[in-house]
Amino acid sequence: MLRYYQFILLTLVFIAGNVRGVPGDIVTGFKAPYSHSTGMTFDGKCLWIADYEEKKLLRVDQNGKVVDSINSPGYWPTGLAWDGEFLWNADDAQNKIYKINPQDGTVMFRIDAPCSNPFGLAWDGETLWVADRRDSEIHKMDLSDGTAIKTIKAPAGNTQGLTFDGQYLWCSDRGEDELYMIDPESGCVLVIGQTPGPYSSGLAWDGSFLWNVDFETDSLYQCVRRDKELYKLSECRYTEVTLKHHAFPRGQGSLQQLNVYVAIPEERPYQKIESIQFSPEDYKGLKDRWDQEFAAFSYHDKSGPVPIETEMSVRAKLYAVDYFIFPDHVGGLEDIPSDIAESYTADGSKYRINDSFIQAKLKEILNDEQRPYYMAQRIYDYVRNTLEYKLEGGWNVAPFVLQRGTGSCSEYTFSFIALCRAAGIPARYVGAAVVRGDDASIDEYFHRWPEVYLPGYGWIPMDPQAGDKQTPREVAMGIGHLPNRFLITTQGGGDSEILGWYYNSNESFITDPGMELEVWTVGGWNPVAR
C-alpha cells in the first residue's frame, strides 16, 4: 500500500512540477493484476502482460484495470510482442514462440525459438527479436523457420524484458537492475539507466514512455525513455586528497633552482571543490595554452640530502556521473564551435595525425561514417580491441603504439586522441588522482583518459582502456560514465609549455655538476565525515 501511494505522489509531482527525469525514472505505476508477471507489450491502446502462474495473457489499460484476458498457449509464458495486429508470445518451458489472435486466443502460428531460454520478445516492424537469458544473447529471427538472422551479445548476464522504440532495442537486466538502449545494427550499448524495481521482467514501449513490470514488487511502472537531462549524479564521496611532490637532492654540490608546477583542479558537474590549500603558501598562479591553472613554486640554493616537499590539499565532493547520449541527438561536425575545433583537432608531438599509418587506419575504421558519435565509437572500439594494457617503458607516439599493440593508459589516450583529431573530432585528455581500494588510500600511479567533444552534449569521457572489457555493458561503461574515485586535476591537449606531456605536476631544475635530483609524486586519499 505504501508503494502505491508513493506512485501516486510521484505522478502528482511529475504533472504539477514538470519534473525532468533520466531513463528509468518512474512517471507513474500501479500494482500488477497478478503476482507472477513476466512478458509485456503495448498494442497501441493497452498493455498486455503475461502471467506464468495464472497462464494468462492479460490486457490492461494504463490505469491498471484488466479489460480482457486470454489463455496462454504454453506452460510458461514469458516474452510478449505486438506486430500491429497479432500478439506474439514466447514460452520458456517449450522453447516455442506463438502468434496469437488477441480476440479469442487462437494460435495462428507456432515456431521453434532460436535459443534454449526465450524470455524477452520484441517486434521491430518486420520481424521478432528474442532474448535468451541463459546464454546472454539476443537473436533477430527468421520467421520462416525460427533460425537466427543475427545474434548480438546481451548487455549483461540476465536479460528479461525486451522492446523496440522504432529505432533502438531496449532491454532490462535482472542481475544489474539496469535498462539498456542498444543499437540493433552493431549491438553496442548506447544508454544505461536504472530499472525502477529490483527484479525487472517484461518491457514495453507505448510511443512516449517505457513500461516495465517488476516480478518482486508485482508492479507496473511507466518510465522515462529520454528527457532533457543529459546526465545523472550519484554516490557522493566526501574526501580530502593530498598531492605531495617530493624532490630529494643527492650527491655533492647545490641545487641551484627548483621550479615545481602543481595542476589545480577545477569545478565540474561531478566534481565540487570545497577548498584548496598549498604548502608552502607562497606560490605564483600560472596558466598554460589549454587554460589549465597551476600553482608554481620556486626553491633556490638547496644543499642535500634534505627533501623538498610541495603539497596541495583539496577537499571535494566527488560524484559518479552517467551521461545519457542518444546518438540521433548529437549534432554534426559542422555544429562544433570553431575555437574548440581549431584547438582540439590540431596535431601534437605524441599524436602524429598526418602519419601514413594513422591516415590509412582511419579510413579503414570509419569507412563512410560521418556522424560524430559513431565516428568516435568506432575509434574507441578499434583502440580497445587493438591494444593490450601493458607498461613497457616511456610514452610512445600513437602510430608506434597502435602497431606495437600494447600500451599504458597514456598510450591508449594518445592513440585515441590521434585518430579522433585526424577525423576532425575534438579530443583532449584529463589526468586524475585515483582511489586505490579503500576510501583511505595511496595513489602512486594516477590515471589519464580522453574526452571527446560531442555537439549538443559537450565534453564526454571516452576511455578505451577502461572499456577494454568483455560484455557490452562493461564496454559501454567506458563512454560517458565515471565512478566517484577520481579527482581530476588536469585537462589539456599535450605539448603544454608548463606540463609538457605530464599531468598532475611537473618540475624544472638547475643543479651543480655533482648533484642529482630524485623526484616522485604521491596522492593520498582520506574520507571526510559529514
Side-chain angles (χ1 to χ4, degrees), residues 308-321:
I308 302 167
E309 295 187 347
T310 307
E311 181 176 302
M312 176 179 68
S313 182
V314 181
R315 284 203 171 205
K317 292 189 296 185
L318 307 177
Y319 296 86
V321 62

Side-chain angles (χ1 to χ4, degrees), residues 294-331:
F294 297 90
F297 302 83
S298 293
Y299 304 92
H300 301 275
D301 300 322
K302 299 289 184 180
S303 298
V306 178
I308 302 167
E309 295 187 347
T310 307
E311 181 176 302
M312 176 179 68
S313 182
V314 181
R315 284 203 171 205
K317 292 189 296 185
L318 307 177
Y319 296 86
V321 62
D322 299 285
Y323 283 89
F324 305 104
I325 305 168
F326 288 74
D328 49 309
H329 288 269
V330 175

Side-chain angles (χ1 to χ4, degrees), residues 434-451:
V434 187
V435 173
R436 303 287 180 179
D438 297 320
D439 289 347
S441 64
I442 299 295
D443 182 18
E444 300 178 77
Y445 305 104
F446 309 109
H447 186 47
R448 171 165 27 200
W449 65 89
E451 294 183 329

Side-chain angles (χ1 to χ4, degrees), residues 311-502:
E311 181 176 302
M312 176 179 68
S313 182
V314 181
R315 284 203 171 205
K317 292 189 296 185
L318 307 177
Y319 296 86
V321 62
D322 299 285
Y323 283 89
F324 305 104
I325 305 168
F326 288 74
D328 49 309
H329 288 269
V330 175
L333 293 175
E334 68 279 3
D335 298 314
I336 298 170
S338 59
D339 58 333
I340 291 176
E342 182 178 356
S343 294
Y344 293 99
T345 60
D347 202 0
S349 61
K350 296 290 185 184
Y351 304 142
R352 309 286 181 89
I353 67 175
N354 294 313
D355 182 273
S356 60
F357 176 83
I358 293 291
Q359 291 293 317
K361 185 57 64 175
L362 187 66
K363 291 180 181 179
E364 179 185 321
I365 295 166
L366 297 185
N367 198 358
D368 295 324
E369 184 59 67
Q370 294 293 317
R371 297 168 295 176
Y373 178 86
Y374 288 108
M375 294 167 71
Q377 186 188 58
R378 288 189 182 190
I379 293 169
Y380 172 89
D381 284 339
Y382 168 74
V383 172
R384 70 175 185 81
N385 286 324
T386 298
L387 297 183
E388 176 188 358
Y389 183 76
K390 189 179 291 187
L391 300 176
E392 294 191 312
W395 294 334
N396 292 111
V397 298
F400 180 86
V401 170
L402 290 170
Q403 291 175 85
R404 184 180 65 196
T406 62
S408 64
C409 67
S410 290
E411 291 171 318
Y412 271 77
T413 297
F414 300 157
S415 300
F416 177 81
I417 292 176
L419 289 164
C420 282
R421 290 193 177 193
I425 301 170
R428 67 186 187 187
Y429 59 76
V430 295
V434 187
V435 173
R436 303 287 180 179
D438 297 320
D439 289 347
S441 64
I442 299 295
D443 182 18
E444 300 178 77
Y445 305 104
F446 309 109
H447 186 47
R448 171 165 27 200
W449 65 89
E451 294 183 329
V452 295
Y453 187 89
L454 298 178
Y457 288 86
W459 289 103
I460 300 295
M462 212 175 233
D463 185 354
Q465 193 242 311
D468 194 359
K469 301 290 195 303
Q470 294 299 313
T471 69
R473 177 195 181 273
E474 292 173 313
V475 171
M477 288 300 290
I479 302 177
H481 302 273
L482 287 177
N484 65 354
R485 50 192 290 264
F486 301 114
L487 175 72
I488 296 173
T489 60
T490 315
Q491 67 181 37
D495 286 318
S496 165
E497 64 273 27
I498 296 174
L499 277 183
W501 286 92
Y502 291 96

Side-chain angles (χ1 to χ4, degrees), residues 139 223 228:
H139 307 280
C223 306
K228 296 179 181 179

Side-chain angles (χ1 to χ4, degrees), residues 96-267:
K96 302 289 185 184
I97 296 176
Y98 302 92
K99 181 179 180 180
I100 305 164
N101 185 330
Q103 303 300 320
D104 56 13
T106 302
V107 175
M108 312 293 291
F109 178 66
R110 183 179 68 181
I111 195 169
D112 291 330
C115 53
S116 60
N117 278 101
F119 210 89
L121 203 62
W123 180 263
D124 70 0
E126 295 180 355
T127 191
L128 289 171
W129 291 77
V130 59
D132 183 348
R133 62 175 177 171
R134 174 174 294 176
D135 294 334
S136 300
E137 294 177 330
I138 301 174
H139 307 280
K140 183 178 182 179
M141 289 184 61
D142 182 341
L143 294 180
S144 68
D145 58 9
T147 58
I149 301 171
K150 183 176 189 175
T151 297
I152 60 178
K153 284 186 178 181
N158 201 328
T159 302
Q160 299 275 319
L162 190 67
T163 193
F164 183 71
D165 70 4
Q167 186 171 5
Y168 304 109
L169 286 169
W170 287 81
C171 76
S172 59
D173 187 87
R174 170 195 172 189
E176 296 291 343
D177 295 333
E178 289 176 334
L179 294 170
Y180 307 103
M181 187 178 85
I182 305 167
D183 181 340
E185 291 301 316
S186 66
C188 292
V189 173
L190 303 173
V191 169
I192 302 176
Q194 293 295 309
T195 58
Y199 191 150
S200 175
S201 190
L203 201 61
W205 167 247
D206 70 4
S208 299
F209 297 97
L210 293 169
W211 285 86
N212 180 218
V213 62
D214 191 87
F215 188 81
E216 183 170 322
T217 63
D218 299 325
S219 298
L220 278 67
Y221 303 89
Q222 185 186 47
C223 306
V224 172
R225 171 192 175 269
R226 178 183 180 273
D227 211 329
K228 296 179 181 179
E229 297 292 344
L230 301 183
Y231 60 85
K232 180 184 73 173
L233 303 179
S234 62
E235 302 176 18
C236 180
R237 178 193 295 273
Y238 296 95
T239 191
E240 182 175 39
V241 183
T242 301
L243 195 73
K244 288 187 178 182
H245 180 282
H246 300 266
F248 194 77
R250 296 182 183 275
Q252 302 297 316
S254 172
L255 174 62
Q256 299 179 24
Q257 183 174 338
L258 169 65
N259 298 315
V260 177
Y261 308 99
V262 178
I264 302 175
E266 67 173 26
E267 290 269 323

